[in-house]
């Protein structure tokens, strides 16, 4: 499937462009904030070729795409206006509070920067290796140019965060950038470096260094965005386009330097110090917790609470001793996926586990976790154990990260500092975590999915059941709808496609009429008119459900001609519906016809398994009442 086609399908299945409040992406996921999550069709999205998984965490609707997420994100920008900053966005009707709200804010702010952070981090790590090995001197102009390329992101980090924060809170991006620029303006930096006593109309200003900081600009832009919305309401339309930015700059730059800046720096340093203290108290225990828990944090989105701390430590202190242990967790799940590849006899799972192992080695663990280890359960647990052991080794070794980047083979250079101290411990830790997880997965085993050969046998058995019976049916079910026959497994609703509701068939209607499938009594006539149930005189119970999720239409485009308890004869008109209007509203019209008491019959046989069918044609034969 092309990126453009996938992008169009994704936009449609998240409820359309008007349902999207904002969209960012990280290394593997499209992170939507939707106005109404109920409008998104999660089951259809998960079935799209190119989608690994769909998750709802921290107020975000997350579509896991994998390595091609930048291309799909870009394609969404081409097929819609979702990425256009100038395009008006409708605010979400939901309010995400507590931990979920905090995670939503942090992930939206930092996720767009992770790709370039990884690239800059790798380059910075390679330069550290080159200088330590004597291949490049730090005074060489080549080194200076490359170091500028690697370090500029961290130096100008407040400006980048100003953009993502303003987008998250629907503030003016250019005013936010100007405020961030003021914090690292050369004369402001000079005041700090020279220790000049500074005041603003007599109010003392504690000068801080704001290059590479995280929290001050985020607080500042959030407040700026709130003020901007208020100013836009009270300032006259004719002058607000230039008066509002003027007031924001005059208020926010001094306020940030006086209050938000120092507060943010102190808070960031305090949190970082607390985490460093935990590693100082017991690096073995802290490393084990981080190594075991990191992938759990990722699954629930809680890791976003730690990402700013990693970035802040590297940006302000030049190193971070907390993140390295998380690397063990990545390689542990990689090892677990590798163990599945060695153990499974299912060819499809073996292929999936092998490809997932390869991508996980480079830090992209979603395919391995959501596609392999987590569904199989025991391999995921093996990964947690391996991660704990590897994390304990890394924590005890005192390994440090000297740049930002997602843990993986390519980013190992970011952990190589002066003299390489702690780096051997990192290598030992990730190797141990990989091997332990792979071995435990192989020993503990898992419920291996049905092999292809068994699938073929089951298919043959089902085919045999569909052969015409020589016996007279206990109940013949006539088609209640005219249209094209669709296999029940193809219905985009697991309640029907899984057979949980009972055996049967589905029809894509060409005429919007439902008639009685036999002589009997109406037992259920839903108030939303989208479905009904009829029981035959011999006791066969048939459910006709027009479309998928059409209950959300609240009865629109449906006309019911029955009520519960009505006596009907085969062919009587029960329900009418407008196919075109239902499709225009964004709903599928494929209609499951289910024998809800299938367990009462020895065999439910399809009289016709494919092609077109007219209303009142023979559709199902029920044999052998139990």
């Amino acid at each position: 499937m092309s990126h453009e086609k996938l992008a169009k399908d994704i936009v449609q299945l998240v409820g359309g462009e008007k349902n999207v409040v904002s969209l960012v992406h990280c290394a593997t996921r499209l992170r939507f904030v939707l106005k109404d999550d109920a409008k998104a069709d999660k089951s259809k999205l998960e079935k799209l070729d190119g989608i690994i998984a769909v998750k709802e965490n921290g107020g975000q609707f997350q579509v896991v795409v994998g390595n091609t997420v930048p291309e799909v994100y870009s394609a969404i920008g081409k097929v819609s206006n979702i990425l256009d900053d100038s395009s008006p966005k409708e605010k979400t009707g939901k309010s995400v509070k507590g931990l979920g709200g905090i995670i939503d804010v942090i992930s939206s702010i930092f996720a767009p920067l992770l790709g370039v952070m990884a690239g800059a981090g790798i380059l910075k790590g390679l330069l550290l290796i080159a200088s330590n090995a004597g291949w490049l001197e730090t005074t060489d102009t080549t080194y200076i140019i490359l170091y500028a390329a690697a370090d500029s992101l961290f130096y100008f980090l407040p400006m980048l965060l100003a953009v993502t924060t303003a987008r998250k809170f629907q503030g003016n991006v250019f005013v936010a950038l100007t405020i961030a620029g003021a914090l690292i303006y050369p004369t402001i930096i000079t005041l700090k470096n020279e220790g000049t006593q500074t005041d603003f109309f007599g109010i003392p200003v504690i000068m801080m260094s704001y290059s590479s900081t995280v929290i001050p600009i985020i607080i500042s832009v959030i407040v700026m965005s709130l003020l901007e919305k208020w100013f836009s309401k009270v300032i006259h339309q004719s002058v607000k386009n230039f008066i509002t930015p003027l007031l924001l700059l005059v208020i926010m730059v001094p306020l940030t330097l006086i209050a938000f800046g120092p507060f943010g720096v102190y808070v960031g340093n305090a949190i970082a110090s607390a985490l460093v203290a935990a590693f100082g108290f017991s690096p073995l225990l802290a490393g084990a917790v981080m190594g075991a828990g990191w992938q759990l944090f990722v699954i629930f989105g809680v890791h976003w609470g730690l990402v700013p701390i990693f970035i802040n430590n590297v940006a302000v202190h030049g190193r971070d001793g907390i993140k390295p242990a998380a690397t063990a967790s990545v390689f542990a799940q990689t090892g677990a996926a590798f163990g599945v590849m060695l153990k499974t006899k299912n060819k499809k799972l073996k292929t999936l586990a092998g490809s997932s192992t390869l991508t996980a080695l480079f830090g992209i663990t979603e395919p391995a976790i959501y596609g392999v280890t987590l569904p199989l359960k025991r391999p995921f647990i093996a990964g947690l154990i391996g991660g704990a052991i590897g994390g304990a080794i890394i924590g005890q070794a005192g390994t440090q990260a000297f740049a930002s980047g997602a843990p993986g083979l390519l980013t190992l250079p970011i952990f190589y500092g002066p003299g390489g101290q702690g780096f051997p411990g990192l290598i030992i830790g990730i190797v141990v975590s990989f091997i332990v997880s792979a071995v435990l997965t192989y020993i503990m085993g898992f419920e291996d999915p049905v092999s292809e050969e068994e699938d073929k046998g089951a298919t043959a058995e089902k085919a045999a059941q569909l052969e015409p019976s020589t016996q007279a049916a206990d109940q013949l079910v006539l088609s209640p709808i005219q249209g094209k026959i669709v296999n029940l497994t193809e219905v985009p609703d697991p309640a029907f496609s899984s057979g949980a509701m009972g055996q049967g068939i589905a029809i894509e209607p060409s005429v919007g009429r439902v008639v009685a499938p036999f002589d009997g009594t109406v037992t259920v006539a839903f108030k939303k008119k989208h479905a009904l149930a009829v029981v035959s005189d011999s006791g066969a119970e048939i459910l006709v459900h027009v479309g998928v999720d059409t209950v959300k239409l609240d009865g629109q485009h449906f006309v019911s001609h029955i009520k519960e308890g009505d006596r009907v004869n085969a062919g009587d008109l029960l329900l009418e519906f407008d196919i075109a209007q239902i499709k225009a509203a964004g709903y599928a019209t494929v209609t499951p016809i289910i024998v809800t008491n299938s367990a009462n019959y020895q065999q439910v046989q399809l009289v016709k398994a494919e092609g077109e069918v007219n209303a009142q044609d023979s559709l199902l034969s029920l044999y052998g009442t139990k």
Side-chain angles (χ1 to χ4, degrees):
M1 182 181 293
S2 69
H3 297 316
E4 286 75 16
K5 176 66 168 63
L6 181 58
K8 288 179 181 178
D9 290 343
I10 290 173
V11 172
Q12 179 185 353
L13 293 175
V14 296
E17 187 173 333
K18 291 183 179 179
N19 195 40
V20 179
V21 176
S22 65
L23 169 64
V24 297
H25 78 85
C26 57
T28 59
R29 307 181 189 198
L30 296 167
R31 297 174 176 271
F32 289 92
V33 175
L34 302 179
K35 182 185 176 185
D36 183 1
D37 286 350
K39 291 183 178 180
D41 195 327
K42 186 176 178 181
S43 62
K44 278 190 178 180
L45 273 168
E46 289 177 325
K47 292 177 181 178
L48 283 180
D49 184 22
I51 302 301
I52 297 170
V54 178
K55 304 292 175 183
E56 293 179 69
N57 282 326
Q60 292 183 336
F61 191 85
Q62 303 174 11
V63 181
V64 184
V65 177
N67 294 336
T68 60
V69 69
E71 290 82 2
V72 177
Y73 177 82
S74 178
I76 288 176
K78 294 177 182 177
V79 303
S80 71
N81 294 317
I82 291 173
L83 305 184
D84 184 1
D85 285 333
S86 64
S87 177
K89 302 290 192 301
E90 196 170 354
K91 286 191 67 111
T92 177
K94 61 191 176 185
S95 177
V96 183
K97 299 179 180 179
L99 181 59
I102 295 171
I103 291 170
D104 171 40
V105 169
I106 295 176
S107 62
S108 297
I109 291 171
F110 286 94
L113 304 179
L114 294 185
V116 67
M117 277 186 175
I122 293 169
L123 178 57
K124 207 169 187 181
L126 292 173
L127 288 173
L128 285 171
I129 293 174
S131 62
N132 287 334
W135 301 333
L136 278 176
E137 294 294 332
T138 56
T139 53
D140 291 348
T141 53
T142 300
Y143 180 92
I144 292 171
I145 292 171
L146 290 176
Y147 194 82
D151 196 53
S152 64
L153 178 143
F154 301 99
Y155 185 87
F156 294 105
L157 188 58
M159 301 190 73
L160 298 174
L161 292 174
V163 173
T164 57
T165 307
R167 285 178 175 173
K168 171 62 181 174
F169 289 91
Q170 289 91 42
N172 188 309
V173 172
F174 302 104
V175 174
L177 272 170
T178 305
I179 294 172
L183 297 182
I184 55 177
Y185 194 71
T187 52
I188 296 294
I189 293 175
T190 300
L191 290 176
K192 160 65 172 64
N193 292 340
E194 294 181 354
T196 304
Q197 187 172 354
T198 308
D199 68 83
F200 181 75
F201 288 113
I203 302 174
V205 178
I206 302 173
M207 298 307 296
M208 314 284 288
S209 177
Y210 294 109
S211 61
S212 304
T213 56
V214 172
I215 299 178
I217 190 61
I218 292 176
I219 297 175
S220 180
V221 174
I222 291 174
V223 174
M224 179 216 81
S225 301
L226 297 174
L227 271 178
E228 181 185 359
K229 291 176 177 62
W230 185 73
F231 284 148
S232 295
K233 292 178 182 178
V234 300
I235 298 175
H236 194 271
Q237 191 78 18
S238 61
V239 296
K240 75 175 184 179
N241 285 343
F242 55 88
I243 294 297
T244 297
L246 168 64
L247 292 175
L248 291 175
L249 291 174
V250 170
I251 294 172
M252 292 309 306
V253 172
L255 187 59
T256 302
L257 291 172
I258 293 168
F260 300 150
F263 173 78
V265 171
Y266 291 142
V267 168
N269 289 340
I271 296 173
S273 297
L275 289 173
V276 169
F279 271 80
F281 173 74
S282 177
L284 191 76
L285 179 59
V289 171
M290 184 66 72
W294 180 252
Q295 290 300 336
L296 284 172
F297 299 159
V298 170
I299 289 173
F300 292 105
V302 183
H303 68 301
W304 286 109
L306 295 173
V307 168
I309 305 303
F310 300 161
I311 296 171
N312 188 71
N313 283 344
V314 172
V316 177
H317 305 294
R319 62 178 64 199
D320 171 64
I322 305 166
K323 179 180 182 175
T327 309
S329 183
V330 172
F331 282 89
Q333 291 300 325
T334 308
F338 182 70
V340 171
M341 185 191 74
L342 296 178
K343 181 84 171 178
T344 183
K345 292 180 172 59
N346 184 291
K347 292 181 180 178
K348 289 184 179 179
L349 180 58
K350 189 179 288 289
T351 301
L352 175 61
S355 62
S356 299
T357 298
L358 184 61
T359 57
L361 283 171
F362 295 96
I364 310 300
T365 55
E366 274 84 352
I369 293 174
Y370 295 124
V372 182
T373 64
L374 194 57
L376 296 175
K377 298 181 180 63
R378 276 178 277 182
F380 185 76
I381 295 172
L384 297 183
I385 297 171
I389 296 172
I393 294 171
I394 294 171
Q396 190 64 37
T399 307
Q400 301 285 311
F402 296 90
S404 296
L409 284 180
L410 287 179
T411 54
L412 290 182
I414 71 175
F415 302 102
Y416 189 93
Q421 184 178 0
F423 190 71
L426 175 84
I427 300 301
I428 294 171
I430 62 177
V431 170
V432 168
S433 63
F434 182 94
I435 293 174
V436 168
S437 300
V439 171
L440 282 178
T441 297
Y442 197 89
I443 293 173
M444 292 166 60
F446 47 86
E447 188 175 342
D448 206 4
V450 178
S451 68
E452 291 177 354
E453 289 71 19
E454 290 172 319
D455 277 338
K456 291 177 181 177
T459 302
E461 182 180 348
K462 288 181 180 179
Q465 289 179 354
L466 293 178
E467 291 179 0
S469 173
T470 57
Q471 301 175 359
D474 291 282
Q475 177 67 60
L476 180 64
V477 179
L478 306 179
S479 178
I481 292 178
Q482 178 177 329
K484 182 181 179 180
I485 291 178
V486 177
N487 194 298
L488 199 60
T489 58
E490 297 177 16
V491 175
D493 186 331
F496 297 113
S497 61
S498 66
M501 296 288 292
Q503 299 180 55
I505 194 67
I507 296 176
E508 181 61 55
S510 56
V511 177
R513 289 165 53 91
V514 177
V515 299
F518 39 54
D519 296 342
T521 304
V522 176
T523 55
V524 178
F526 286 89
K527 293 181 180 179
K528 302 297 178 69
K529 306 174 186 177
H530 65 294
L532 56 89
V534 184
V535 60
S536 72
D537 295 336
S538 66
E541 299 171 4
I542 298 295
L543 170 69
V544 181
H545 192 290
V546 179
V548 177
D549 289 335
T550 46
V551 64
K552 297 176 183 177
L553 288 171
D554 201 25
Q556 293 183 68
H557 317 309
F558 291 94
V559 177
S560 177
H561 296 282
I562 44 113
K563 62 182 184 296
E564 291 181 7
D566 281 356
R567 173 74 188 175
V568 295
N569 296 317
D572 286 352
L573 180 61
L574 307 180
L575 178 69
E576 291 181 288
F577 56 96
D578 191 321
I579 298 173
Q581 290 293 334
I582 293 172
K583 288 184 175 180
Y587 295 91
T589 55
V590 61
T591 300
I593 298 156
I594 306 296
V595 183
T596 53
N597 63 338
S598 302
N600 292 349
Y601 295 91
Q602 295 178 9
Q603 184 180 357
V604 176
Q605 178 185 295
L606 304 182
V607 176
K608 192 173 184 180
E610 59 184 13
E612 299 290 332
V613 64
N614 294 316
Q616 293 295 282
D617 283 355
S618 297
L619 188 66
L620 300 170
S621 293
L622 312 183
Y623 293 96
T625 54
K626 297 179 181 179

